[in-house]
Amino acid sequence: MQGQGDPSFAAELKHFREVRGLSKADLARRLTISPSYVSHLESGRERGSSDLARRLDKELDAGGKIWKAWQDDDGGVQLTSEAAETSPPAGILVLEDAAALRYDGSIYRLTMHRRLRNTGTEPITRYLVRIAVDRYPGEPERSNALYRAHPLTWEELELEAHCGEEEMGRVVKHDRDAFKEVWLEFANARTRFPLYPGQEAAITYSYAVTADKWGPWFQRAVRLPTRELTVSLSFPTALQPTVWGTETSLSANFAPLRTPPAQAVDADHTVYTWTTLDPPLHARYRMEWRLKTAHLQESEPVNTPTPSALMASAGIVQEGDILLQTVAQPFDLPTEADQARDVLRELHAAISRVKELHDFGKGMGIAAPQIGIGRAAAIVVPPGDGTTPIALLNPTIAESSAEIDRQYEGCLSFFDVRGIVPRPLHIVIAHTDLDGTPRLTRFDHGMARLVLHEVDHIDGKLYRSRMEPGTQPIPVEEYRGTGQNWTYK
């Protein structure tokens, strides 16, 4: 559901890292992963692979607790804003899954409706539900401090659950500051109504969370075979809501929702509704929003997505993803010309999405690994309006000058910072046309820098690895060159 503090895997990981006296950077170095990826794991935004979970357990000498927590999380990172079930009983088919979240200016109320069919061979007597909140996504320490001081309570949640007209019994499984699990039982004090094989039943449950404990996003994870999934978000129109969404699956990284949410006005609320049919198992659909906050106290944070979050919403793979650390596969041209065209088409579409979010005065580029495709392709857009994008297939560095300069670069895959990077002033790139014709193209100054940045992505490198020892990226807020081209003597 919404907001959630630490899922058990994230909590165990953070606990044992701190017990062993390691910083996130220390742990990242030991595992040869990015420190930011450790942050994603501990905040619950990422879950990692089973192999990584085992390595973490061994490295932190956790005695199997981290590995067990990873298994118990049942394949889903459920940070903030999420309605999801864990350890689902076998034999359930979800015919309809509808989540309706309504905000009245002070309280979020979530109502979940599911129509279930028992396709198994045994009666189903209970259904597990998770409630999790995270007020400050991306700031786990701040969220944890909030919930330690003001934990989520069952009394304030006012959880209600029914199967048809019958009230469902409840048995608490986990009760933490910002994370709770409860079994909804197909029974109450008067009667029992198990879901027998072949039968269908509709269950509905709802609860409320105050705005000071609910973060600006809501996520649904597909854990059971599902025929139809719907998410509805309702906000006061006076708050001028802006809503966007992304999806992920086992085979794809963050990408914008394939269809935009429908928008309608209902009295004084604006309602955004999004539906998908037959979603793949383990897919996650995340809705985020920004509200006008003039009605809030001055100390209340503005729900403005970070630059990196905006890029993720546009389908850009973010730092920590293994694809950004992997050498891309070259195309066999002209044999794979059709595949190369498809990748270039996807890159052009990504550029269009990204350019709606930021002014690229220096020009810009995107490599295929940044949109979840591990192939050796990139597109570079020179600075200036009306310039023609340059497509590069199988690019490699044929020559580079001894002369270098140092300029700040930004990367769509970690767009919250800018780093000063030394690069050659002149390069020659070997690349291939779709028909297999080999090419050599010279690039100078800013274009050389743009091209080399994308060639690095194809080689599985980020500009951090090019920075000189002792230098670190600076927050984008401190960078003064946004929207301006690089300067050269």
Side-chain angles (χ1 to χ4, degrees):
M1 315 269 159
Q2 155 78 86
Q4 112 186 355
D6 294 321
S8 57
F9 167 63
E12 293 286 14
L13 172 57
K14 182 178 181 181
H15 168 74
F16 279 99
R17 178 181 61 78
E18 293 177 344
V19 166
R20 304 305 175 212
L22 297 176
S23 68
K24 294 175 183 176
D26 292 335
L27 181 58
R29 279 193 294 272
R30 292 190 181 192
L31 296 171
T32 63
I33 61 177
S34 164
S36 66
Y37 193 48
V38 176
S39 296
H40 288 320
L41 292 169
E42 291 190 358
S43 67
R45 293 191 298 277
E46 295 289 346
R47 181 171 183 260
S49 66
S50 59
D51 178 67
L52 178 60
R54 291 190 183 96
R55 291 170 59 203
L56 286 165
D57 193 280
K58 181 178 180 181
E59 188 66 43
L60 296 174
D61 192 20
K65 292 184 179 179
I66 291 176
W67 168 235
K68 182 179 183 303
W70 188 92
Q71 293 175 299
D72 288 346
D73 274 358
D74 190 37
V77 174
Q78 319 302 326
L79 203 98
T80 88
S81 311
E82 176 161 343
E85 307 71 47
T86 58
S87 303
I92 285 187
L93 173 64
V94 181
L95 300 174
E96 300 171 10
D97 183 318
L101 180 68
R102 183 178 177 85
Y103 179 52
D104 66 6
S106 61
I107 294 175
Y108 287 91
R109 177 166 290 280
L110 176 69
T111 301
M112 297 295 306
H113 171 83
R114 291 186 179 86
R115 177 166 290 279
L116 309 174
R117 176 186 296 163
N118 185 349
T119 59
T121 59
E122 299 293 331
I124 294 171
T125 60
R126 60 182 185 173
Y127 194 84
L128 187 61
V129 165
R130 170 180 290 178
I131 299 171
V133 293
D134 182 8
R135 180 66 182 87
Y136 305 110
E139 300 181 72
E141 292 82 4
R142 188 178 183 188
S143 283
N144 292 340
L146 168 67
Y147 298 121
R148 280 194 298 269
H150 306 285
L152 200 63
T153 67
W154 292 106
E155 290 75 19
E156 65 183 300
L157 286 171
E158 299 179 346
L159 176 65
E160 297 181 358
H162 292 83
C163 177
E165 296 184 357
E166 290 286 354
E167 184 177 359
M168 301 183 75
R170 280 156 275 171
V171 176
V172 174
K173 181 182 180 184
H174 287 117
D175 188 357
R176 302 175 190 166
D177 291 346
F179 172 72
K180 303 185 185 299
E181 285 184 327
V182 57
W183 287 107
L184 300 182
E185 296 191 314
F186 289 87
N188 55 40
R190 300 186 311 276
T191 184
R192 295 180 181 275
F193 38 94
L195 185 59
Y196 286 103
Q199 289 186 339
E200 295 181 9
I203 66 171
T204 301
Y205 62 90
S206 64
Y207 62 87
V209 178
T210 54
D212 59 340
K213 296 182 181 180
W214 188 281
W217 62 291
F218 178 82
Q219 181 169 290
R220 289 292 295 111
V222 181
R223 302 177 177 279
L224 297 167
T226 301
R227 292 290 175 261
E228 179 179 302
L229 184 147
T230 300
V231 176
S232 172
L233 306 176
S234 177
F235 302 103
T237 301
L239 299 186
Q240 301 175 15
T242 301
V243 173
W244 63 96
T246 56
E247 63 179 89
T248 60
S249 68
L250 291 177
S251 60
N253 292 287
F254 279 99
L257 295 176
R258 297 176 187 276
T259 57
Q263 182 177 342
V265 175
D266 180 11
D268 59 351
H269 274 62
T270 299
V271 182
Y272 298 84
T273 303
W274 181 80
T275 297
T276 186
L277 301 177
D278 296 315
L281 279 175
H282 309 298
R284 297 198 298 272
Y285 302 98
R286 172 172 168 147
M287 309 292 287
E288 299 181 65
W289 56 85
R290 183 171 62 240
L291 304 175
K292 179 182 178 182
T293 56
H295 69 296
L296 299 176
Q297 298 179 0
E298 291 184 2
S299 60
E300 188 71 13
V302 177
N303 293 336
T304 301
T306 65
S308 288
L310 283 174
M311 292 303 144
S313 74
I316 303 301
V317 172
Q318 294 300 294
E319 184 180 19
D321 193 292
I322 191 63
L323 200 58
L324 297 181
Q325 306 169 38
T326 304
V327 177
Q329 179 184 355
F331 292 96
D332 179 12
L333 296 170
T335 304
E336 293 187 304
D338 288 343
Q339 293 93 318
R341 286 190 188 91
D342 289 342
V343 173
L344 293 175
R345 190 179 302 112
E346 293 290 336
L347 286 168
H348 279 292
I351 286 172
S352 297
R353 297 193 300 268
V354 166
K355 290 179 76 172
E356 293 179 359
L357 303 174
H358 185 79
D359 178 18
F360 292 93
K362 299 175 178 61
M364 55 92 67
I366 296 181
Q370 291 184 281
I371 59 172
I373 302 173
R375 301 306 301 268
I379 290 180
V380 175
V381 182
D385 295 333
T387 56
T388 302
I390 299 169
L392 297 171
L393 299 173
N394 301 342
T396 60
I397 302 171
E399 297 179 20
S400 61
S401 68
E403 300 174 276
I404 65 170
D405 79 328
R406 294 166 177 82
Q407 304 272 8
Y408 277 101
E409 294 183 18
C411 181
L412 303 179
S413 294
F414 50 105
F415 211 47
D416 295 337
V417 297
R418 300 292 185 268
I420 194 162
V421 184
R423 299 278 192 189
L425 282 172
H426 314 283
I427 59 171
V428 175
I429 295 295
H431 56 108
T432 312
D433 287 348
L434 286 167
D435 63 4
T437 302
R439 298 286 183 185
L440 289 173
T441 303
R442 178 186 171 100
F443 298 98
D444 301 301
H445 298 158
M447 281 301 296
R449 181 171 294 275
L450 288 172
V451 169
L452 287 172
H453 185 109
E454 301 313 320
V455 171
D456 274 352
H457 277 302
I458 290 171
D459 290 339
K461 298 176 182 178
L462 300 178
Y463 76 65
R464 291 182 191 273
S465 67
R466 300 291 188 190
M467 296 178 67
E468 294 171 325
T471 60
Q472 296 292 331
I474 63 172
V476 67
E477 294 82 6
E478 298 178 13
Y479 178 59
R480 297 293 177 261
T482 297
Q484 304 173 23
N485 203 349
W486 292 298
T487 57
Y488 294 87
K489 295 179 181 179

